[in-house]
């Protein structure tokens, strides 16, 4: 299974890359049209979920919440 993390921030890209190196996770970095991507390999869904939850807490990130739709007039 492969999971891709995308960001437009070079700073976050470098921080996430360093974090994954420290966790000894196999990944492939890439850059396409100004969007940085890290593709993580060789983790099952449970391991991926656990890693992403820990990484979210480590970087103090919060899930983006969808804004409610406007009411029809």
């Amino acid at each position: 299974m492969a999971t891709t993390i995308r960001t437009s921030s070079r700073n976050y890209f470098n921080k996430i890359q360093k974090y994954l190196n420290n966790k000894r996770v196999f990944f492939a970095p890439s850059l396409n049209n100004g969007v940085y991507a890290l593709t993580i390999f060789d983790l099952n869904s449970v391991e991926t979920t656990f890693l992403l939850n820990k990484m979210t807490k480590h970087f103090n990130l919060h899930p983006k919440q969808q804004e409610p739709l406007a009411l029809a007039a």
Side-chain angles (χ1 to χ4, degrees), residues 3-71:
T3 303
T4 303
I5 301 170
R6 292 182 181 91
T7 181
S8 59
S9 170
R10 182 179 175 98
N11 188 30
Y12 270 122
F13 174 77
N14 290 333
K15 286 181 179 183
I16 294 170
Q17 191 172 11
K18 185 177 178 181
Y19 182 83
L20 294 176
N21 276 329
N22 288 339
K23 296 293 182 186
R24 301 188 196 293
V25 175
F26 181 67
F27 66 93
S30 63
L31 173 64
N32 189 14
N33 294 332
V35 176
Y36 299 95
L38 295 158
T39 304
I40 301 169
F41 298 102
D42 298 335
L43 294 179
N44 63 34
S45 62
V46 174
E47 293 169 330
T48 302
T49 302
F50 183 73
L51 176 70
L52 293 178
N53 286 338
K54 286 193 74 156
M55 188 171 61
T56 302
K57 288 180 184 177
H58 178 79
F59 291 118
N60 296 320
L61 301 174
H62 302 284
K64 183 177 179 182
Q65 295 187 4
Q66 185 175 2
E67 294 181 18
L69 299 174
L71 297 175

